[in-house]
């Protein structure tokens, strides 16, 4: 508490905060000015039919106004940007204003920085209108805490839900590659692998167990080194993996009212296809199907402690802690 009070009283830090606030307000003012300019330079021409002369530029996603080409070049020059950078900025601004209204409101009231709003807008341009609306609604209450990894997963989910025809056909990308041609000076080589979630969880358990056993045996190396040694032990058969195909892990499936064709892995918080879930069910020791959970439903309880069903509902709905300043 004393440190926080000292920071508030520090005139240098106060000056930094004041300048930051001025910069943020200026960034929002610039964004608003660019969008006001865009309203005066929209084109009614179809960008897909004009073949000669000035072309209308579709810079945002579907539903955003198209902009006069030469005017857009003038805007980039006025902002001191290259043509590509200026067009990119304008496209993100149009996407934010016309397809992400909740996030646009968050920018105007200072809850969402302009740079972060631009990153979100850039990722949603490939989505159809309903897909962009889905992302906008899901992010509206967590704009302060959303990470780019969470954003990428959410956009992938929106694409699978609202534009499945644009999702590349499934391909088995699993691999395990060891670069034996580029050993380090100390004799180490790099390993890269892509595993299914069940295989990765079993391997993670094996590495944790192996690292703990090394510690019990007196090994004082750092954890990462012990995990590396444990992986080598597995390869040599010191802790043999059971290569007989058998179920090794329980699987819990949450059935949602709004996702008949798509699921989400609770371990990685990433969307997965129903076919993948079906494969996991076949390899699980026990499959537990939870009752249908409608994420749009509001469940009220009068007890101090939330029941398990409500806790699961909230965790699956919000994906992250929504407590203020968490």
């Amino acid at each position: 508490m004393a440190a926080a009070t000292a920071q508030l009283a520090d005139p240098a830090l106060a000056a930094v905060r004041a300048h930051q606030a001025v910069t943020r307000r200026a960034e929002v003012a610039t964004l608003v000015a660019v969008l006001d300019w865009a309203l005066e330079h929209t084109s009614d021409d179809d960008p897909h039919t004009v073949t000669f002369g000035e072309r209308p530029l579709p810079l945002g996603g579907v539903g955003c106004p198209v902009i006069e080409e030469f005017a857009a070049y003038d805007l980039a020059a006025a902002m001191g940007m290259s043509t590509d950078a200026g067009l990119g900025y304008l496209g993100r601004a149009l996407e934010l204003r016309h397809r992400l209204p909740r996030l646009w409101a968050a920018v105007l009231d200072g809850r969402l920085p302009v740079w972060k709003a631009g990153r979100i807008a850039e990722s949603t341009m490939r989505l159809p209108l309903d897909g962009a609306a889905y992302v906008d609604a899901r992010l509206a209450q967590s704009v302060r805490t959303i990470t780019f990894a969470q954003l990428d997963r959410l956009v992938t989910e929106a694409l699978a839900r609202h534009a499945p025809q644009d999702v590349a056909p499934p391909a088995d990308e699993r691999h395990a590659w060891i670069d034996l041609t580029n050993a380090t000076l100390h004799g180490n080589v790099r390993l890269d692998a892509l595993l299914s979630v069940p295989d990765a969880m079993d391997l993670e358990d094996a590495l944790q167990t192996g690292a703990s056993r090394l510690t019990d045996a007196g090994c004082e190396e750092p954890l990462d080194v012990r995990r590396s040694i444990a992986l080598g032990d597995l390869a040599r058969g010191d802790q043999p993996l059971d290569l007989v195909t058998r179920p090794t892990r329980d699987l819990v499936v949450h059935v949602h009212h709004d996702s008949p064709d798509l699921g989400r892995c609770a371990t990685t918080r990433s969307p997965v296809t129903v076919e993948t879930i079906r494969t996991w069910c076949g390899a699980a020791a026990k499959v537990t199907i939870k009752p249908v959970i409608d994420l749009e439903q509001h469940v009220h309880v009068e007890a101090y402690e939330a029941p398990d069903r409500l806790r699961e509902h909230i965790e699956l709905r919000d994906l992250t802690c929504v407590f203020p300043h968490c």
Side-chain angles (χ1 to χ4, degrees):
M1 181 64 69
T5 303
Q7 288 183 1
L8 291 174
D10 189 330
L13 288 179
V16 170
R17 285 193 292 268
H19 287 304
Q20 285 293 314
V22 170
T23 298
R24 288 193 293 270
R25 289 194 295 269
E27 290 174 344
V28 174
T30 299
L31 187 62
V32 172
V34 166
L35 289 168
D36 289 342
W37 170 93
L39 288 177
E40 301 176 0
H41 294 86
T42 59
S43 174
D44 296 328
D45 295 331
D46 186 347
H48 303 292
T49 60
V50 177
T51 58
F52 181 77
E54 183 178 14
R55 299 174 296 117
L57 299 178
L59 301 175
V62 176
C64 290
V66 295
I67 305 298
E68 299 168 351
E69 179 183 15
F70 297 155
Y73 298 158
D74 291 340
L75 175 68
M79 298 185 69
M81 296 180 176
S82 67
T83 298
D84 289 342
L87 296 183
Y89 180 95
L90 180 55
R92 293 188 292 272
L94 293 170
E95 175 78 7
L96 184 64
R97 176 64 183 86
H98 294 278
R99 304 213 316 157
L100 304 171
R102 294 178 178 85
L103 298 183
W104 169 244
V107 170
L108 293 181
D109 63 22
R111 291 184 294 117
L112 179 62
V114 171
W115 67 268
K116 195 170 186 178
R119 172 66 174 78
I120 296 172
E122 186 173 9
S123 68
T124 60
M125 288 183 186
R126 59 187 177 134
L127 296 174
L129 276 171
D130 50 357
Y134 177 79
V135 173
D136 187 45
R138 294 299 300 271
L139 294 184
Q141 297 181 350
S142 59
V143 291
R144 292 183 182 274
T145 58
I146 189 71
T147 66
F148 290 146
Q150 292 170 327
L151 172 63
D152 291 340
R153 290 195 292 265
L154 183 59
V155 170
T156 299
E157 180 179 346
L159 193 65
R161 285 178 181 272
H162 300 283
Q165 70 280 1
D166 295 335
V167 178
D172 198 339
E173 303 172 312
R174 290 176 296 175
H175 66 270
W177 176 67
I178 302 176
D179 187 5
L180 295 174
T181 62
N182 290 295
T184 68
L185 183 63
H186 301 288
N188 301 320
V189 298
R190 186 171 297 279
L191 178 148
D192 178 82
L194 187 65
L195 312 176
S196 69
V197 171
D199 287 347
M201 294 176 68
D202 287 339
L203 180 59
E204 174 65 21
D205 288 346
L207 294 183
Q208 288 183 3
T209 301
S212 297
R213 289 177 177 174
L214 286 169
T215 299
D216 295 340
C219 181
E220 298 180 354
E221 298 290 347
L223 175 61
D224 286 343
V225 175
R226 285 184 281 117
R227 287 170 59 90
S228 174
I229 296 172
L231 185 60
D233 290 339
L234 287 175
R236 287 183 291 271
D238 295 344
Q239 297 178 30
L241 287 174
D242 186 354
L243 299 181
V244 178
T245 302
R246 61 182 179 86
T248 58
R249 186 176 297 277
D250 294 345
L251 179 68
V252 178
V253 179
H254 293 271
V255 182
H256 296 277
H257 180 69
D258 68 336
S259 55
D261 301 318
L262 199 67
R264 182 182 294 111
C265 177
T267 303
T268 63
R269 296 189 179 276
S270 55
V272 292
T273 64
V274 170
E275 184 59 35
T276 299
I277 296 174
R278 185 177 294 113
T279 302
W280 290 355
C281 288
K286 182 178 71 173
V287 178
T288 302
I289 305 296
K290 291 287 187 175
V292 173
I293 299 177
D294 183 356
L295 298 185
E296 301 299 327
Q297 180 184 13
H298 294 283
V299 181
H300 302 278
V301 295
E302 297 181 356
Y304 174 76
E305 294 185 355
D308 291 341
R309 177 172 170 79
L310 180 58
R311 179 178 290 105
E312 290 176 346
H313 181 117
I314 295 173
E315 291 175 350
L316 294 167
R317 182 193 65 194
D318 296 334
L319 304 183
T320 183
C321 181
V322 295
F323 190 82
H325 311 297
C326 178

